[in-house]
């Protein structure tokens, strides 16, 4: 890490902060949405499903732009938040929001697959033993799909570490405030003579991705043993 | 307490109807407590559908279900109690133990959700009855089939249900295990006075577990009949041979064979039971009838009997015998195969020609010969 510039450290920390926060914020919502998609019976379910999955296929820049429209100073949500003196755009919250929205479909997909794989008869058994719908969900279905939830979280964490398009539109590229690793790399590559510095950050990025992979594999292995 | 049910449900093209009444007013003085009623029918007849409808896991299209004073479902009044408020325990076909919880946590899952005042059974008690002491801390994936079913039974009983439904609890187990589980099922029902609905397509299980049976056929729940009547009915239809179910006890060895007590009579068997009490099957076709006591025979069991009734069906006749000394016909004996002390019931299948040759008629004395090896261990 001899090649790292002083500013790089803040980019790395910021990246970790953004990815962690985005994952933690999105997980409860992801569990709720996945439950809705698996067990909910309502008209227009396909539409909801489409909207949830949209960020997966849209260019992140487009997602970022929509978020900017919504959360901007004159945006639908942004104008309300401004009354409480909360600003999303060009802040850390903006970077977290962008990462959360872009990674969300990956999280939901994983949790949903996990929940669908849990035999619903366990839920039925819990109900006949006196557990209501919520009780049965939190004590049976959720613990049994915990592995999938964790897999979704690691996937989303990794995706957030690499988030670029939506972040640069919504949060900008402000060193020390919203500049994450990918944004810093982008800065270096557009500066003459920044190639080596870009490469060292790339190595950091590869290192993190690898660690996340190892953790997710180890977790999967441990839960296999328990079975 | 009584269970009355009058419901309809359409599932795709399968239409299900049930209209029956168990316990309470229909038979005066009878109580649902401790009753064991079977739900019998071939696969796909709707037995499990009935279980789901009663437990509240499936909503009927119309009708009404009442358990005692509680209305569980009433289409007209818009009542549909959720499963957790019905207090109907279910023992599922494949146990359905929660794979992420240990045995003890599975057992206490329902118990912990019962309000303190309604807890009727202590966990220690059921753990003792089901002999689960050494398994408590184990993960449920390491249990054998029989152990899983015992844990499932304990888990259901501990949720203090007012009625237990058992959906083919023995079907996933091999023959030996079935024999081991049946005494547990009977003991739990007897010890805790819990009414039991036992779903199965096995006549033998029905006869070992229940006194009365609801017949389910092609999505329709038919009449409530005595289990013994069902056995004769199935014999009459020619689908199954009649099997005598004998409760024997106190075996003692004699020259390598075993002498059992059959309610005051002695029977000689080649098979040894591990316990003091055992149930044996005896095919009605494996019994020979003699007009007089034969001088000598290889059959080890010779019982003097009185013919009670002859039921012909095609080229077969089922002879109802009252075994034991004395001879007068008695109408007081119960129909479940257990007569008064020293008098036992036995059914023998013969052909009409034999009936003519032996001159069989009600009241007639005959001698039944049974080989010691004709008995098969049942439970």
């Amino acid at each position: 890490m001899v090649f790292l510039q002083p500013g790089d450290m803040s980019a790395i920390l910021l990246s970790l902060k953004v990815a962690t926060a985005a994952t933690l914020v999105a997980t409860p919502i992801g569990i709720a949405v996945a439950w809705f998609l698996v067990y909910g019976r309502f008209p227009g379910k396909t539409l909801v499903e489409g909207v949830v999955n949209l960020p997966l296929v849209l260019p992140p820049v487009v997602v970022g732009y929509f978020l900017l429209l919504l959360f901007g100073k004159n945006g639908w949500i942004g104008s309300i938040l401004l009354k409480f003196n909360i600003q999303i755009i060009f802040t850390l919250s903006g970077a977290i929001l962008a990462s959360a929205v872009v990674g969300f479909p990956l999280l939901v997909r994983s949790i949903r697959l996990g929940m669908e794989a849990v035999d619903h008869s366990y839920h039925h058994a819990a109900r006949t033993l006196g557990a209501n719908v919520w009780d049965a969900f939190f004590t049976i279905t959720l613990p049994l799909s915990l592995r999938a939830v964790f897999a979704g979280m690691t996937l989303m964490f990794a995706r957030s570490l690499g988030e670029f398009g939506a972040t640069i539109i919504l949060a900008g590229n402000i060193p020390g405030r919203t500049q994450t690793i990918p944004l810093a790399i982008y800065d270096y590559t557009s500066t003459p003579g920044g190639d080596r510095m870009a490469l060292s950050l790339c190595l950091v990025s590869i290192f993190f991705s690898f660690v996340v992979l190892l953790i997710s594999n180890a977790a999967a292995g441990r839960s296999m043993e328990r079975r | 307490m009584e269970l009355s049910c009058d419901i309809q449900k359409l599932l795709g093209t399968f239409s299900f109807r049930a209209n029956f009444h168990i316990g309470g007013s229909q038979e005066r003085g009878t109580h649902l407590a401790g009753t064991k009623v079977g739900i019998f029918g071939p696969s796909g007849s709707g037995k499990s559908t009935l279980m789901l409808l009663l437990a509240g896991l499936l909503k009927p299209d119309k009708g009404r279900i009442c358990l005692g004073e509680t209305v569980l479902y009433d289409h007209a009044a818009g009542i549909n109690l959720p499963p957790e408020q019905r207090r109907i325990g279910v023992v599922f076909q494949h146990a359905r133990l929660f794979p992420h919880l240990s045995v003890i946590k599975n057992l206490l899952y329902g118990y912990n959700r019962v309000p303190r005042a309604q807890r009727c059974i202590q966990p220690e008690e059921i753990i003792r009855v089901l002999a689960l002491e050494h398994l408590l801390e184990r993960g449920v994936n390491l249990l054998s089939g029989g152990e899983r079913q015992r844990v499932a039974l304990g888990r259901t009983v501990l949720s203090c249900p007012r009625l237990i439904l058992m959906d083919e609890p023995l079907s996933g187990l091999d023959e030996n295990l079935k024999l081991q589980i049946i005494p547990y099922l009977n003991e739990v029902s007897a010890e805790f006075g819990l009414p039991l609905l036992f779903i199965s397509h096995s006549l033998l299980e029905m006869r070992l577990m229940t006194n009365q049976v609801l017949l389910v056929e092609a999505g329709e729940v038919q009449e409530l009949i005595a289990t013994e009547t069902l056995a004769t009915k199935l014999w009459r239809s020619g689908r199954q041979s009649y099997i005598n179910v004998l409760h024997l006890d106190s075996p003692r060895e004699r020259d390598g064979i075993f002498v059992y007590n059959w309610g005051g009579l002695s029977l000689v068997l080649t098979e040894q039971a591990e316990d003091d009490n055992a149930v044996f099957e005896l095919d009605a076709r494996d019994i020979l009838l003699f007009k007089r006591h034969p001088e000598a025979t290889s059959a080890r069991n010779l019982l003097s009997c009185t013919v009670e009734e002859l039921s012909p069906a095609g080229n077969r006749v089922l002879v109802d015998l009252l075994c034991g000394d004395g001879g007068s016909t008695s109408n007081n004996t119960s129909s479940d195969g257990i007569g008064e002390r020293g008098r036992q019931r036995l059914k023998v299948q013969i052909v009409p020609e034999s009936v003519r040759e032996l001159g069989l008629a009600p009241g007639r004395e005959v001698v039944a010969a049974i080989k010691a090896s004709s008995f098969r261990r049942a439970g």
Side-chain angles (χ1 to χ4, degrees):
Chain A
M1 303 289 161
V2 263
F3 309 117
L4 285 184
Q5 301 299 303
D8 292 352
M9 215 50 216
S10 78
I12 292 166
L13 283 178
L14 207 60
S15 265
L16 292 175
K17 222 192 235 173
V18 167
T20 309
T23 308
L24 291 182
V25 166
T27 302
I29 307 168
I31 290 172
V33 170
W35 181 87
F36 213 55
L37 291 177
V38 175
Y39 300 112
R41 275 194 207 99
F42 54 94
K45 189 168 151 181
T46 339
L47 199 73
V48 175
E49 211 179 330
V51 170
V52 168
N53 277 324
L54 211 54
L56 199 65
V57 285
L58 279 181
V61 179
V62 174
V63 176
Y65 187 67
F66 274 121
L67 287 175
L68 189 62
L69 288 183
L70 270 179
F71 288 90
K73 284 204 173 86
N74 303 317
W76 187 40
I77 303 173
S79 57
I80 300 169
L81 287 176
L82 207 60
K83 285 183 190 147
F84 299 98
N85 228 350
I86 301 168
Q87 198 189 335
I88 296 287
I89 50 166
F90 305 122
T91 63
L92 181 65
S93 319
I96 293 168
L97 180 68
S99 282
V101 170
V102 172
F104 195 64
L106 290 171
L107 181 73
V108 171
R109 264 172 179 251
S110 176
I111 298 175
R112 189 183 163 173
L113 284 177
M115 275 187 193
E116 277 169 348
V118 175
D119 193 341
H120 202 52
S121 62
Y122 290 128
H123 175 87
H124 279 165
R127 296 290 304 275
T128 64
L129 289 169
N132 63 35
V133 178
W134 294 112
D135 190 355
F137 174 74
F138 283 112
T139 55
I140 305 298
T141 312
L142 188 59
L144 285 176
S145 44
L146 219 53
R147 221 172 113 197
V149 173
F150 191 73
M153 285 172 77
T154 44
L155 210 58
M156 173 152 183
F157 186 82
R159 177 69 185 85
S160 300
L161 280 179
E163 212 321 284
F164 179 83
T167 313
I168 202 165
I169 300 257
L170 192 66
N173 189 355
I174 309 161
R177 269 188 78 189
T178 65
Q179 192 179 64
T180 55
I181 297 175
L183 296 175
I185 293 173
Y186 168 74
D187 254 10
Y188 282 134
T189 52
S190 45
T191 319
D195 290 359
R196 261 180 85 186
M197 273 123 40
L199 188 65
S200 53
L201 267 186
C202 284
L203 289 175
V204 171
S205 196
I206 291 168
F207 170 76
F208 278 134
S209 308
F210 201 65
V211 167
V212 169
L213 265 180
L214 283 182
I215 291 174
S216 109
N217 278 348
R222 216 185 25 233
S223 41
M224 287 290 269
E225 258 167 48
R226 217 168 34 147
R227 261 148 213 267
Chain B
M1 191 156 55
E2 57 194 295
L3 173 69
S4 64
C5 176
D6 178 9
I7 41 173
Q8 287 178 33
K9 174 79 186 172
L10 194 68
L11 288 164
T13 56
F14 178 73
S15 108
F16 179 85
R17 300 165 64 89
N19 187 357
F20 62 90
H21 187 99
I22 301 169
S25 59
Q26 216 174 42
E27 306 142 60
R28 214 164 260 279
T30 52
H31 214 246
L32 202 54
T35 17
K36 291 180 282 183
V37 175
I39 297 173
F40 182 85
S43 305
S45 56
K47 301 187 298 292
S48 294
T49 308
L50 178 62
M51 184 272 289
L52 293 173
L53 289 166
L54 287 176
L57 298 171
L58 197 63
K59 194 177 166 227
D61 293 334
K62 53 181 140 179
R64 192 179 150 88
I65 308 173
C66 286
L67 179 62
E69 302 288 295
T70 322
V71 181
L72 301 181
Y73 174 80
D74 191 332
H75 181 74
I79 299 172
N80 182 25
L81 280 192
E84 65 270 20
Q85 284 172 28
R86 294 195 177 198
R87 296 188 54 211
I88 292 185
V90 183
V91 177
F92 294 94
Q93 193 167 353
H94 298 293
R96 296 194 188 171
L97 299 180
F98 304 131
H100 59 302
L101 300 178
S102 65
V103 169
I104 184 73
K105 282 184 176 155
N106 264 285
L107 282 171
L108 295 179
Y109 189 88
Y111 182 76
N112 289 335
R113 284 163 175 79
V114 179
R116 222 162 269 275
Q118 280 175 24
R119 287 179 185 173
C120 47
I121 296 157
Q122 286 310 306
E124 299 76 35
E125 227 176 315
I126 190 86
I127 288 168
R128 178 183 53 77
V129 172
L130 294 174
L132 295 170
E133 291 94 344
H134 60 293
L135 299 173
L136 296 179
E137 296 306 321
R138 226 181 261 188
V140 295
N141 300 306
L142 301 168
L143 299 181
S144 71
E147 289 167 342
R148 295 177 70 85
Q149 231 23 292
R150 260 149 64 202
V151 175
L153 179 63
R155 184 177 72 172
T156 302
V157 172
L158 277 175
S159 69
C160 299
R162 299 194 298 169
L163 172 71
I164 292 189
L165 304 177
M166 293 192 174
D167 186 13
E168 308 240 6
L170 306 174
S171 72
L173 307 175
D174 62 43
E175 287 300 319
N176 266 328
L177 278 173
K178 275 185 199 175
L179 308 186
Q180 286 170 25
I181 297 289
I182 287 175
Y184 284 119
L185 297 182
N186 279 321
E187 202 173 332
V188 162
S189 164
E191 188 141 330
F192 304 109
L194 290 169
L196 210 93
L197 281 185
F198 183 84
I199 299 175
S200 178
H201 63 264
S202 151
L203 178 61
L204 179 66
E205 285 174 18
M206 279 296 158
R207 294 177 70 190
L208 292 174
M209 285 294 304
T210 66
N211 319 322
Q212 285 179 308
V213 174
L214 275 173
L215 276 184
V216 186
E217 217 155 303
E220 189 135 3
V221 175
Q222 292 164 349
E223 69 228 287
L224 183 69
I225 56 172
T227 313
E228 200 48 38
T229 315
L230 171 71
T232 338
K233 193 174 162 167
L234 286 177
W235 173 81
R236 206 175 287 278
S237 71
R239 275 187 280 179
Q240 291 181 34
S241 72
Y242 185 87
I243 307 285
N244 290 288
V245 175
L246 285 68
H247 297 259
L248 307 183
D249 56 76
S250 343
R252 15 176 236 287
E253 197 179 340
R254 196 183 69 194
D255 294 335
I257 49 176
F258 301 89
V259 184
Y260 287 78
N261 170 42
W262 182 33
L265 302 174
S266 287
L267 284 180
V268 178
L269 275 71
T270 48
E271 217 172 319
Q272 183 182 16
E274 297 93 52
D275 320 307
D276 198 44
N277 289 296
V279 181
F280 285 90
E281 293 175 55
L282 175 62
D283 196 307
R285 295 171 300 189
D286 290 345
I287 305 169
L288 289 174
L289 292 184
F290 291 88
K291 209 166 185 172
R292 276 180 294 275
H293 202 288
E295 195 178 312
T297 166
S298 65
R300 289 297 86 199
N301 299 290
L302 292 173
L303 300 166
S304 7
C305 313
T306 314
V307 176
E308 286 257 281
E309 204 188 333
L310 296 164
S311 340
N315 61 357
R316 306 167 305 157
V317 180
L318 200 61
V319 185
D320 222 329
L321 296 176
L322 197 60
C323 308
D325 301 319
S328 66
T329 14
S330 139
N331 295 319
N332 304 337
T333 43
S334 60
S335 58
D336 57 359
I338 301 162
E340 58 204 61
R341 188 135 188 98
R343 312 296 313 272
Q344 295 296 330
R345 285 173 173 275
L346 205 57
K347 283 189 167 67
V348 181
Q349 182 188 322
I350 53 175
V351 291
E353 201 176 83
S354 312
V355 175
R356 283 194 298 276
E357 244 178 69
L358 291 171
L360 292 187
R364 170 91 208 199
E365 305 267 324
V366 285
V367 175
I370 313 159
K371 294 177 69 173
S373 58
S374 299
F375 298 87
R376 230 161 51 83
R377 184 76 206 276

